Amino acid sequence: TAVIAEIGMTKKQPDVLTPELLESIDRYWRAANYLSVGQIYLCDNPLLRRPLALTDVKHMLLGHWGTTPGQNFIYAHLNRVIKQYDLDMIYVSGPGHGGPAVVANTYLEGTYSEIYPDISQDDAGLQKLFLQFSFPGGIPSHASPECPGSIHEGGELGYSLSHSFGAVFDNPELIVACVVGDGEAETGPLATAWHSNKFLNPVTDGAVLPILHLNGYKIANPTVLARITHEELEQLLRGYGWTPIFVEGHEPALMHEAMATALDTAVQQIQQIQQNARVMNDDDAGGFARPRWPMIVLKSPKGWTGPKFVDGFQIEGTFRAHQVPISDPAAQPGHLELLNDWLRSYRPQELFDERGRLLPELAKLAPEGERRMGANPHANGGLLLRDLHMPDFREYACDVPTPGASGIGDTHVLGPFLRDIAKINQEQRNFRVFGPDETISNGLVALFETTDRQWDAATEPNDEHLAPTGRVMEMLSEHQCEGWLEGYLLTGRHGLFNCYEAFIHIIDSMFNQHAKWLKVTSHLPWRRKIASLNYLLASHVWRQDHNGFTHQDPGFIDHVVNKKAEIVRVYLPPDANCLLSVMDHCLRSRHYVNVVIAGKHPAPQWLDMDAAAQHCAAGIGIWEWASNDGDQAPDVVMACCGDVPTLETLAAVSILRENFPELKIRVVNVVDLMRLQPQTEHPHGMNGQDFDELFTTNKPVIFAFHAYPWLIHRLTYRRTNHENIHVRGYKEEGSITTPFDMTVLNEMDRFHLVMDTIDRLPQTGDKGLALKRRLKEKLIEHKIYIDKNGQDLPEIRDWQWRGKT
Amino acid sequence: TAVIAEIGMTKKQPDVLTPELLESIDRYWRAANYLSVGQIYLCDNPLLRRPLALTDVKHMLLGHWGTTPGQNFIYAHLNRVIKQYDLDMIYVSGPGHGGPAVVANTYLEGTYSEIYPDISQDDAGLQKLFLQFSFPGGIPSHASPECPGSIHEGGELGYSLSHSFGAVFDNPELIVACVVGDGEAETGPLATAWHSNKFLNPVTDGAVLPILHLNGYKIANPTVLARITHEELEQLLRGYGWTPIFVEGHEPALMHEAMATALDTAVQQIQQIQQNARVMNDDDAGGFARPRWPMIVLKSPKGWTGPKFVDGFQIEGTFRAHQVPISDPAAQPGHLELLNDWLRSYRPQELFDERGRLLPELAKLAPEGERRMGANPHANGGLLLRDLHMPDFREYACDVPTPGASGIGDTHVLGPFLRDIAKINQEQRNFRVFGPDETISNGLVALFETTDRQWDAATEPNDEHLAPTGRVMEMLSEHQCEGWLEGYLLTGRHGLFNCYEAFIHIIDSMFNQHAKWLKVTSHLPWRRKIASLNYLLASHVWRQDHNGFTHQDPGFIDHVVNKKAEIVRVYLPPDANCLLSVMDHCLRSRHYVNVVIAGKHPAPQWLDMDAAAQHCAAGIGIWEWASNDGDQAPDVVMACCGDVPTLETLAAVSILRENFPELKIRVVNVVDLMRLQPQTEHPHGMNGQDFDELFTTNKPVIFAFHAYPWLIHRLTYRRTNHENIHVRGYKEEGSITTPFDMTVLNEMDRFHLVMDTIDRLPQTGDKGLALKRRLKEKLIEHKIYIDKNGQDLPEIRDWQWRGKT
Ligand SMILES: Cc1ncc(C[n+]2csc(CCOP(=O)(O)OP(=O)(O)O)c2C)c(N)n1
Ligand SMILES: Cc1ncc(C[n+]2csc(CCOP(=O)(O)OP(=O)(O)O)c2C)c(N)n1
Ligand SMILES: [Mg+2]
Ligand SMILES: [Mg+2]
């Protein structure tokens, strides 16, 4: 920790904020504002070397001006403090629709041209820079992956603070300057993300500097935070645990001074807090009071420095500045003139030289090399990504002397594996597990043998597993878990989100945005691949018999498979050894979203470790030990995917084999769901021939599936034998009941599977019909028994796979 | 408003809180606690008339004790103030897993037995009450629909405050007492819902009394709000605009007094605020400062009054009290004894008479009739539901002299219809429109001709359409919009949520919970049907060309159709007149979730009002004016669903008919998506014969679809002609580009549709191949043109349907 302490000490003393310095910051800001307006409006004549003509103006005017000048202002001032204090800082643009700002600034600091040499630092480059913005074949209008320095697109608002905190965990030298839109601040995820400061350790983590951009408006409305009293706002932010520094006004000169002073204060406070914790308290800040980190509230007009009035309406400082303030220069008299005045108000000739290059005295205001926020490697996390040290998952195997051996709960077997991953990567500090207070409930308690939950708020005598450092992050907010993890991954680390299956839908839209980010970045050569986003959905639909209907929804995977096949992977390991193998694979993988669904309750185990590893490598396969078709064609294929469906299928197979020994039954188990899709649709997809060889071209397939049954149809509708595939799965039936009754209510239980088979095999004849009658009686007996006893029939509870003999 | 003022005056003066009164409240509380423990543990011997035996204890012990005593405490005290002030109050249980509390209390007050006579007020009824809890065939462990008085199940945490505010909008006499879990308070939706107070009008709306249940813990962790300083918590709540009243402790006698006093204060403050606003300020509270409503912070031990220690671990006042504190009386020595002591600590014999009935002096502490929170009709909203006055939608028709007439944007046509619904229901005040600051952006600006956005925070000169009363609710939180609307509907009113299509995924999980609620309540005879939850998804995937990839996701309907067919409906009107007809239908419907997807951009119109109404009534149909198969079998069916797919299909049909006049083409348009499913799967599903008559049994079907293409396969895989159905739709391709290029990137444009057709019609021969070559060239020309000009080719922009001739 001496090293850390030294870092704390290397900070330079702030220079005096001379009028000259502030004046050049103002010019830098004007340059960024000019480039921003240029991006929104111009397709030619980028530096207005000739009079502005209508032909210089784009046909379609797209973009958001309102947020942009404020973000330019912030960026320019951040540049100063980065240089001043030699900071390792990245920028997160909450209202990412201020794309023109981040593009303008990364262009001004030079990173943009380094990555896209075509967008050079001269007139020609400027013209391309302007033209490409919000233009077909060009770049999006948000802080999109194409923009250097961005880890947060900000298209869907609300996640900037969570992402920022995720980025600074285990990055003690990093500061994330996070601009939060005052509209964005109304979203739920953002409203709770302020509390992230209770989960940050000043010793081992970096710092987030939130800058609430109080420009007063969202699209067409004022914002809530802009229309409460100053006193209320201050109480709110202090109540969230922050020390707000207010910068308010609109007069540039005054504002520059105020902002520079505020940033000096904030940076010094951050460094002081870190130094206190790091120097005085060695590894552990627990003894100290939780720090009240600084933040900035920047109250400035929306569309600052833009047109004051257009067509008689006030623009600057109102919601009307949100998008394109001068909307139609081609058709509206006077609009071209207004645009001309606006552009020239920044006096570009005083900012760029005759070749179109930012004047050297301005260019030097930006930091250099990787200190530039657009070039900081944290914002291209793959650059920093180090492989996890992985113990051999085989060593955590549970013993399966024979199929059907009893298990302790699959996630309970996974726990020690995760524990040891946490342990052996403790030193490189690049692995964390996230969850909404369910890590123990989901069966992963073993983690707490080696680590704790990171917690920086107060503790009390009865608390367990809370510490300032820890590899587990738990807050009752799926949004925070997801946002933190995404930020952690995007900056080049590894992690896992464990969640109840039903409630993972809470972050459906966050998953969407991350999957889209992965898709786009995977096609940008300069963006390095990052670790996959891994979900472990334990506490799944079939074992929410005690929580009931609200906790039963296996539809997240339907949602996931809508995203690009190159990005998404779905695994349903049937037992603990398969779970180990699958998780090992997921944690090594890159740039995917992996969804793993597993049970936590004691359940039979099917495969020993070797068989499991092989089965998972194949992703799908015949379980010969459960089949009796031998080298012949089967009469029926019993397919299963998921732990409970596998159990019910095997129980159904026992009944069938006992009653119809002559029937040739093939059991197929699916671990890797995407194997079912045609290979043309998904990289894991099987080719037609392999599929037909497994599922036959004409025999009935009785498929028991973990989730909604139609997902199987959706994946297999192109397969030869599709019309013979009969799927059972969850169909929104369920309540508080017994585990087996959950399958009965959804007709996926062993008895229904047998009856489904009989219905499709005329050769079972009268014997089949008689068996059906007996099974129907059995279902009634089951119902009566559970209503009376509250638990399943002994023959169900105690059922065991007996094998071939 | 004289009436309202009078209501304000009818309140009684508070009685003195005599020791006798507090003592009997304590006994009432003990009764509720006893019934709660009984529900979790006992299957027999409900009043312990004989010694507790193991056989009296359930096999499976399920339920959440931790939250329950606190909720019982709150409920008992609310009963007092209801009687005291003659309040119209309902109870929302944020941590709905405290099911035992709401069941116990509605039982004690008598409503439970009125609804379920079998659960009578005697020993036999008590035994059933206990047994049914968390038991197969019984009731869930949450504040589920089965529980009288509940509008909020609280299975998925986070929505209690939004629901509560939704309930009090336009219910000036109603107070919702909303218990917020301190864990629940960490969720994003709850964290922003505190701000709802800026949207409440004290004149025309009721009041929400939040009771933050600071019991210190969630499942296995302390809560954030319990581990910040008192000062911070108070600042936070004041910053959110509330006036917190703290009730802290654990000694029952002191706590009863503190809670009773706090509630008196809170109720009096509420009444004072309302009176100030209503009497002094007539209809409009705008002139007054926004009220700082009271709220209560109840800090009490988790699992209060439960076992102090079990197996050497402290239980009461720790996270270990969350679920079942004594976990295994059958196996653990001493557990039965502990349970016995715990149960008897409430001294049931002092609370219930020899028949098992609550003693009369306690029973009279509960309010009477509909004042009982379990019997309040607001909590069974269908009882209060009044039909909307509906203007004739035909009068808003846009003129379509001939198919292909130009339109102004479909939602812009809908706007005036919604405006007039708002207007003519102004008096009965039971219709509202919700959206995250997108109502204007989504084309519904006409609403502001008759109403405003309800807004109770400060206003400034340039604001537009903000007022203390208004039918439009806008906050930048999809969670709040959804939660408010749900609360509004559940209490018997009507509404609409307008949202960008991509971001509606933010509330996927809230939709889930509401759909599940509707499913369960539709099977409870005593629950009356409520108005449908209507979504208008404008700003859809195909016209997010300016916002780019992050704004492109049509997958909400995939998510929706996973829920029970009896509940969900999906409509994709192809033009404005169809949109009018569909919306009219949705707003009249009951107990559904209706998803309507519509465009806002100028687009061609196809059907005049009569044709539209007829087409929408059928839900699907042949567009004869666009087809040329006459009375013969078609060579190809060109199917379309959604506005943009319809446009591209008709453009493709023009090209085909021009080039292959001999080809017999049938155009089928789908408005009601669920028509595609078999009738066995969805009530709107077509029977096989009708389907085959439309789509043929063997001809190629080229289907252009609004959303992900595989949804069509999922809905139609059982259809005879399924294997000939070829679907084009959105497949995660898109960026900032032109509208037409969006369709090209996803291969759903007219040219691809024509090429797809040629590929499936060998009879097009060499002429077909030549046309394909020309179309491929055209696509290249398109790309070059848009890259240069930033807009679509003139022939695309200006394309018009020319009809048959
Ligand atoms: C979750 C979400 N809902 C709605 C939108 C649509 N939207 C785009 S910009 C905007 C207003 C943003 O306001 P604010 O955060 O204050 O940003 P700024 O004023 O800096 O533009 C809205 C509602 C969105 N992008 N994300
Ligand atoms: C959104 C969501 N995430 C996770 C859960 C799982 N869960 C059930 S109870 C609970 C803790 C609730 O704590 P709190 O709100 O404080 O309630 P109380 O202490 O009164 O039980 C959690 C995390 C849930 N029900 N909903
Ligand atoms: Mg703003
Ligand atoms: Mg709690």
Side-chain angles (χ1 to χ4, degrees), chain B residues 182 215 217 302:
Chain B
D182 52 354
N215 64 11
Y217 300 90
K302 190 148 182 169

Side-chain angles (χ1 to χ4, degrees), chain A residues 92-139:
Chain A
V92 164
S93 169
H97 47 269
V102 282
V103 171
N105 277 288
T106 49
Y107 177 83
L108 288 176
E109 74 192 19
T111 42
Y112 209 91
S113 306
E114 284 166 25
I115 291 176
Y116 305 108
D118 205 37
I119 311 283
S120 47
Q121 303 254 11
D122 52 22
D123 274 53
L126 266 180
Q127 195 248 339
K128 285 183 201 147
L129 183 82
F130 288 1
L131 182 64
Q132 69 167 4
F133 177 80
S134 267
F135 202 83
I139 60 163

Side-chain angles (χ1 to χ4, degrees), chain A residues 219 232 290 437 508 562 710, chain B residues 219 232 290 437 508 710:
Chain A
I219 299 183
E232 267 180 321
R290 174 169 57 79
D437 192 19
D508 273 3
N562 276 341
W710 31 85
Chain B
I219 298 182
E232 267 180 321
R290 174 168 56 80
D437 192 19
D508 273 3
W710 32 83

